[in-house]
Amino acid sequence: MKTLKEVRCGQTVTIKKLHGEGAVKRRIMDMGMTKGVSVRVRKVAPLGDPIEITVRGYELSLRKADAQWIEVE
Amino acid sequence: MAVNIALAGNPNSGKTTLFNALTGSNQFVGNWPGVTVEKKEGKLKGTKEVMIVDLPGIYSLSPYTLEEVVARNYLLKDHPDAILNIVDGTNLERNLYLTTQLLELGIPVLVAINMADVMEKTGDQLNLVQLQKELNCPVVMISALKQTGIKEAAQQAVALANRSRIETAYGQFDERVEKTLERLAALLPQTIPAAQKRFYAIKLFERDRKILADLPEIPAAESIIASLESELEEDAESIITNERYLWISSMLERCYLRKKQSSLSVSDRIDLIVTNRWLALPIFIAVMALVYAVAMGNWSISIGTHGTEWTNDVLFGEIVPNAVDSLLNSLKVSSWLSGLIQDGIVAGVGAVLGFVPQMLVLFLLLCILEDIGYMARIAFIMDRIFRRFGLSGKSFIPMLVATGCGVPGIMASRTVEQDRDRKMTIMTTGFIPCGAKMPIIGLFAGALFENAWWVATSAYFIGVAAVILSGIILKKFRIFAGDPAPFVMELPAYHIPSLQNVLRGTWERGWSFIKRAGTVILVSSIVLWFLQGYGFVDGVFQSVEDNNHSLLALIGNTFAWVFYPIGWVGDMAWKATVATFTGLIAKEEVVNTFGVLYHYAGELSETGEEIWSLVQADFSGLTAYSFMIFNLLCAPCFAAMGAIRREMNNAKWTIGAIGYMCGFAYGISLIVYQLGGLLLKEVQFNFFTIVAIILLGGLLFLLFRPYREGKTLEIRIKTAKRD
């Protein structure tokens, strides 16, 4: 299973499935990361975490710990 | 008739700018009942009866964040007459996600698309008429920053509030979902108004416990929910979120044309440098150094420090005391009253107000950084480091500020959004040695350690270590650990700061500090002045010249035993205790108090060189170090405690924070004195050696105990009392 955590900077992927539950999952989905949406990893913070992505036409940063709940292809 | 309009929108949608533009200076700032979320209300400019309530910036109406719960409780329970929903036009998809939820509340909604000017520039095209039809609610274009269209938007919202019929459309979801929602709506109690049926049906479907707690149990619902979940192979919350976004995408396809951006925007280009892998940290350090230099430093560019020096030396050193003096003389007031006013009130409040210029400069700079959009980048850059200690990337700023003064440091914790991180920041910021603690270090470094370089260095090291240890230990406790909300943050596009926002933000923070100086600090100054100036001489209560007879000395003697285990024994015990108490007024007082207690008549230099030999006779290196550690880490001065109280906005948390600091200070001093003493053969093995070993063991256990993020998130809010 490939997750958003492993996606290299500059790559574009499509969200396949969201894992996890409760607050974390809901928050991720509330921000627009739903099934079938394409996501581009724009930037990685200087210390390697968090990452910044483009989703639904805007920029969002999230931690790798949360990105690992997002299965992509 | 009074009209209430709720202003709702995403964070960074320009909501604050719009609120300021709509209300001008008619604002009331407070807190939402029972929580530390700031509540702002204001009268709409040019009206008498239209009240605008600024809701917290939110992305959704989920039950998972404090801000969202506060917002939806207000919308459901206080039922405003209309919602003015500000939507960032450059980020329509995600902003409309909140709109889809607001439309279900049975309250008239006006959608105001902000940043019309930016949209025009980038060439994005939005068909307003079509969007209006799709949402079935009025939509207007505004620019909060340029203040275009906002008056019309406000007028339209008022007109909407006065209309009796509510017309809203809901998202058209998948047929199967719609059917399920219909069946659930039919199960809802009759007391729910027709206009809110949709909202409650969705919440019932999502199994939103907070909403369902207010309803009678509906056992029939579960099987309906579960059957759709298994059919669609998703959980209920995900089904709804998916449907909302699908509706928004299809709607925007029909009315919105986003111009493809051919090249990088200006903001992107700035970010290429500012968040660059190699340059980000040096730039960050440079920016922070500049902020520090201008506000708190000791150079010619340090505007803040010059202002503070002037306030201390001239305003409260000469002008005010002289003016008060001549006033008191002309009124011929008795000497005790003039003593109270001069030495108690003017000196006490003056000492605190002296920080105001530094704070204003500092807050001004921080507000500019915030408004430009750099604060968000700081969190992005520093998050990785601070997260380990249960803090947030933004916690760096309060810590940095606290090396100058803890009060603005604690107040700067406002910029930390997440509740847990903010509380942790407030609790640990006071550990950083502030400017006023420097003389304490100077006194002992000089008297006992021949000014060895490692004394001052170790003081900073201990301060930073206290922050880190506390962070690691505290985040494992239930009360902090329960919050697994993911860190999601936007990096808003850079923009030129709005003068109005910056000045307003600076003034709000500065003023709240000045107000407190007039209350809490005023009272505590008077009390301490009294304790220091009065006492029993030969059994008669009177004003005392000799501090040794004061009530404060009495208290010092009474409580000195408390500090026995950390090595405050013999002659120095009560002096050290009294000095610690007076340190609560301001930490500078510690050295002054020693001066008084050692009967030094003249004016002491800052580090008290004149009494070094006397201190040397009373203290050993070890007891001096124990005293220093305790005073560096224990409860901060009254001004800082007041700041903690205000930022926590909760008595229990305030007491908890201060209690924790004192306990932590005591524990560390005990370990250092007892175990250090044993090693140096200064202290015999005794009962407290065992206590110290247990404490050290406990500390290490807490430090290395595995840490798990909680799975459930409990947000508790006291229900508002309504009269």
Side-chain angles (χ1 to χ4, degrees), chain A residues 25-26 30 42 56 61, chain B residues 93 97 235 237 268 489:
Chain A
K25 186 175 182 186
R26 172 70 183 264
D30 276 349
R42 291 182 86 221
R56 294 188 185 269
S61 55
Chain B
E93 260 183 279
Y97 177 70
D235 62 276
E237 280 191 305
D268 288 336
M489 191 187 62

Side-chain angles (χ1 to χ4, degrees), chain B residues 16-17 20 360-372 495-509:
Chain B
T16 307
T17 314
N20 287 342
L360 287 180
V361 173
L362 183 86
F363 286 140
L364 181 75
L365 295 173
L366 293 184
C367 280
I368 292 173
L369 288 183
E370 175 99 57
D371 221 43
I372 287 178
H495 61 84
I496 295 165
S498 121
L499 186 70
Q500 203 195 0
N501 278 356
V502 168
L503 290 182
R504 186 184 292 275
T506 309
W507 176 243
E508 267 169 18
R509 290 178 210 189

Side-chain angles (χ1 to χ4, degrees), chain B residues 522-571:
Chain B
L522 180 71
V523 172
S524 46
S525 301
I526 294 172
V527 170
L528 266 157
W529 168 82
F530 174 74
L531 292 177
Q532 206 166 16
Y534 287 80
F536 293 96
V537 181
D538 307 323
V540 185
F541 185 73
Q542 54 183 257
S543 89
V544 289
E545 280 298 315
D546 187 344
N547 227 314
N548 287 336
H549 298 297
S550 70
L551 288 174
L552 198 63
L554 191 69
I555 295 172
N557 278 313
T558 315
F559 288 103
W561 60 271
V562 175
F563 300 104
Y564 170 73
I566 63 172
W568 302 5
V569 281
D571 257 1

Side-chain angles (χ1 to χ4, degrees), chain B residues 160-405:
Chain B
L160 212 56
N162 290 326
R163 214 184 293 167
S164 53
R165 237 170 62 95
I166 298 156
E167 293 168 57
T168 42
Y170 312 126
Q172 299 305 307
F173 295 166
D174 178 276
E175 214 176 303
R176 288 168 291 183
V177 182
E178 289 292 341
K179 279 232 172 75
T180 303
L181 289 177
E182 256 168 53
R183 289 174 67 193
L184 290 174
L187 296 175
L188 289 169
Q190 294 301 316
T191 47
I192 290 174
Q196 293 188 352
K197 279 247 152 87
R198 173 80 171 189
F199 177 82
Y200 279 98
I202 290 178
K203 291 297 152 190
L204 180 59
F205 181 61
E206 289 178 335
R207 300 191 187 91
D208 189 318
R209 269 187 287 151
K210 286 210 160 48
I211 296 286
L212 298 184
D214 293 344
L215 298 181
E217 278 208 42
I218 308 173
E222 187 49 43
S223 67
I224 303 176
I225 302 167
S227 87
L228 187 67
E229 281 183 321
S230 67
E231 193 183 341
L232 297 179
E233 293 176 351
E234 283 269 28
D235 62 276
E237 280 191 305
S238 305
I239 294 172
I240 295 292
T241 311
N242 270 329
E243 290 299 328
R244 288 190 197 283
Y245 270 111
L246 284 174
W247 180 45
I248 294 166
S249 316
S250 76
M251 195 160 61
L252 287 180
E253 241 165 61
R254 292 188 288 271
C255 60
Y256 177 60
L257 193 72
R258 189 173 185 144
K259 191 130 185 206
K260 273 256 184 283
Q261 284 191 352
S262 49
S263 61
L264 288 172
S265 67
V266 181
S267 190
D268 288 336
R269 264 179 251 162
I270 297 174
D271 258 346
L272 277 183
I273 300 166
V274 171
T275 60
N276 174 283
R277 218 173 167 160
W278 306 109
L279 294 177
L281 286 172
I283 290 176
F284 168 70
I285 291 166
V287 170
M288 286 301 119
L290 191 69
V291 168
Y292 184 83
V294 173
M296 332 276 300
N298 212 352
W299 299 282
S300 55
I301 55 158
S302 309
I303 305 165
T305 310
H306 297 317
T308 288
E309 276 167 5
W310 181 83
T311 316
N312 282 338
D313 299 345
V314 183
L315 190 63
F316 284 100
E318 292 163 19
I319 299 175
V320 175
N322 292 348
V324 172
D325 227 18
S326 55
L327 180 75
L328 293 176
N329 281 338
S330 69
L331 292 175
K332 296 196 174 59
V333 297
S334 55
S335 65
W336 72 266
L337 184 61
S338 79
L340 167 69
I341 294 173
Q342 282 289 23
D343 303 333
I345 300 175
V346 174
V349 174
V352 175
L353 287 184
F355 290 117
V356 168
Q358 264 183 338
M359 287 177 41
L360 287 180
V361 173
L362 183 86
F363 286 140
L364 181 75
L365 295 173
L366 293 184
C367 280
I368 292 173
L369 288 183
E370 175 99 57
D371 221 43
I372 287 178
Y374 188 66
M375 279 294 194
R377 269 79 186 176
I378 293 180
F380 183 68
I381 295 166
M382 300 301 289
D383 182 67
R384 173 134 206 196
I385 299 176
F386 279 85
R387 195 175 70 224
R388 303 213 159 174
F389 321 134
L391 299 167
S392 122
K394 289 187 183 174
S395 306
F396 182 85
I397 292 158
M399 306 275 162
L400 179 87
V401 172
T403 58
C405 172

Side-chain angles (χ1 to χ4, degrees), chain B residues 437-449:
Chain B
K437 289 174 185 167
M438 286 298 109
I440 306 178
I441 299 167
L443 172 67
F444 289 104
L448 287 144
F449 301 103

Side-chain angles (χ1 to χ4, degrees), chain A residues 16-18 20-35 37 40 42-52 55-66 69, chain B residues 59-60 62-65 90-91 93-94 97 101 203 206 234-235 237-238 241-242 245 249 258 268 271 275-277 280-281 380-381 383-385 387 484 486-491 711 713:
Chain A
K16 201 171 152 196
K17 190 173 164 54
L18 287 141
E21 57 183 0
V24 176
K25 186 175 182 186
R26 172 70 183 264
R27 193 68 195 265
I28 290 171
M29 292 191 76
D30 276 349
M31 301 308 286
M33 285 176 275
T34 56
K35 206 162 62 180
V37 166
R40 192 168 83 90
R42 291 182 86 221
K43 206 179 320 188
V44 177
L47 299 166
D49 195 13
I51 57 173
E52 198 195 17
V55 58
R56 294 188 185 269
Y58 81 100
E59 278 84 49
L60 178 74
S61 55
L62 75 166
R63 289 177 180 157
K64 283 187 170 169
D66 297 319
W69 298 108
Chain B
Y59 296 111
S60 173
S62 86
Y64 298 120
T65 77
T90 62
N91 184 358
E93 260 183 279
R94 203 209 54 219
Y97 177 70
Q101 301 180 54
K203 291 297 152 190
E206 289 178 335
E234 283 269 28
D235 62 276
E237 280 191 305
S238 305
T241 311
N242 270 329
Y245 270 111
S249 316
R258 189 173 185 144
D268 288 336
D271 258 346
T275 60
N276 174 283
R277 218 173 167 160
L281 286 172
F380 183 68
I381 295 166
D383 182 67
R384 173 134 206 196
I385 299 176
R387 195 175 70 224
F487 168 88
V488 285
M489 191 187 62
E490 284 176 85
L491 300 184
K711 277 272 179 241
L713 177 61

